[in-house]
Amino acid sequence: MAPHIPGSIDGKLLGLYLSDHLTGATAGVSRIQRMAEAFADTPVSAELSRVSAEITRERDVLLGLIRDLGVRQRPHRQAAAWLAEHAGRLKLNGRVVRRSPMTMVLEAELMRAAILGKLGGWQTLEELAPDLGLDPATFVALGNDARAQIEALSRVHEHARRNAFRQNRDIGS
């Protein structure tokens, strides 16, 4: 059975919902890729790289779903999310050239919250999957991946907060 939006589901509302999640995914991919690059010299580098690859893949899954369902894409929203994420990097943190030790703490917190939102999206799609002609197991697996990503970012957060606010810190250890 090919994916489709039946008359029992408000296609316009579902399209907006999926577009909003794609907007979040666009900003999330940009943020996590930057984190993986910026913290490549830390003990949490491997976890950040893995989560970055997974989030990038999941954004592609979401794009494919939007195409398969024939939902209208709203590229201006993704462009705005990308711009907002990049503009957010310009905040003053008391450092001109180097990153602030608190950056990893804040970014891990932001990404955990974003992934929790993404988990809600996968749960919603799991619920709607049978009506949309989709396999609910796909969204169960994506939800499990999101939970693992939250756990990984919790470990990143633990590493970061252990050192960020101490006078004698070593963010790389």
Side-chain angles (χ1 to χ4, degrees):
M1 178 181 202
H4 69 283
I5 302 174
S8 61
I9 293 179
D10 185 330
K12 184 176 179 182
L13 199 56
L14 179 63
L16 287 170
Y17 181 76
L18 293 175
S19 180
D20 286 347
H21 272 279
L22 182 59
T23 298
T26 299
V29 164
S30 184
R31 170 76 49 144
I32 196 71
Q33 286 176 345
R34 181 182 164 282
M35 287 175 69
E37 291 169 12
F39 303 115
D41 60 339
T42 69
V44 294
S45 173
E47 291 204 85
L48 286 171
S49 293
R50 179 184 55 79
V51 171
S52 176
E54 289 175 2
I55 290 173
T56 301
R57 178 186 52 82
E58 291 166 352
R59 182 182 181 278
D60 292 341
V61 167
L62 187 56
L63 269 170
L65 178 63
I66 288 170
R67 270 193 306 274
D68 291 349
L69 290 173
V71 173
R72 190 176 130 236
Q73 289 192 38
R74 293 167 174 82
H76 62 281
R77 287 183 177 203
Q78 284 76 60
W82 184 89
L83 283 171
E85 195 282 326
H86 282 73
R89 297 177 186 181
L90 300 175
K91 65 189 173 300
L92 297 175
N93 61 11
R95 312 281 168 142
V96 176
V97 179
R98 297 178 309 145
R99 65 181 180 244
S100 168
M102 112 180 136
T103 299
M104 187 190 291
V105 176
L106 291 172
E107 289 186 342
E109 291 169 357
L110 287 171
M111 285 305 302
R112 283 191 308 189
I115 292 170
L116 186 58
K118 175 181 68 175
L119 173 59
W122 297 140
Q123 291 168 330
T124 298
L125 287 167
E126 176 190 349
E127 178 78 22
L128 296 174
D131 295 329
L132 297 171
L134 301 167
D135 182 4
T138 299
F139 303 106
V140 170
L142 289 165
N144 290 336
D145 290 347
R147 288 180 189 90
Q149 292 162 6
I150 291 168
E151 289 175 17
L153 286 165
S154 291
R155 289 187 292 275
V156 170
H157 186 258
E158 179 182 2
H159 166 76
R161 72 176 186 261
R162 211 179 297 133
N163 294 306
F165 303 101
R166 307 223 189 284
Q167 290 294 336
N168 296 325
R169 67 183 144 279
D170 181 11
I171 198 72
S173 63

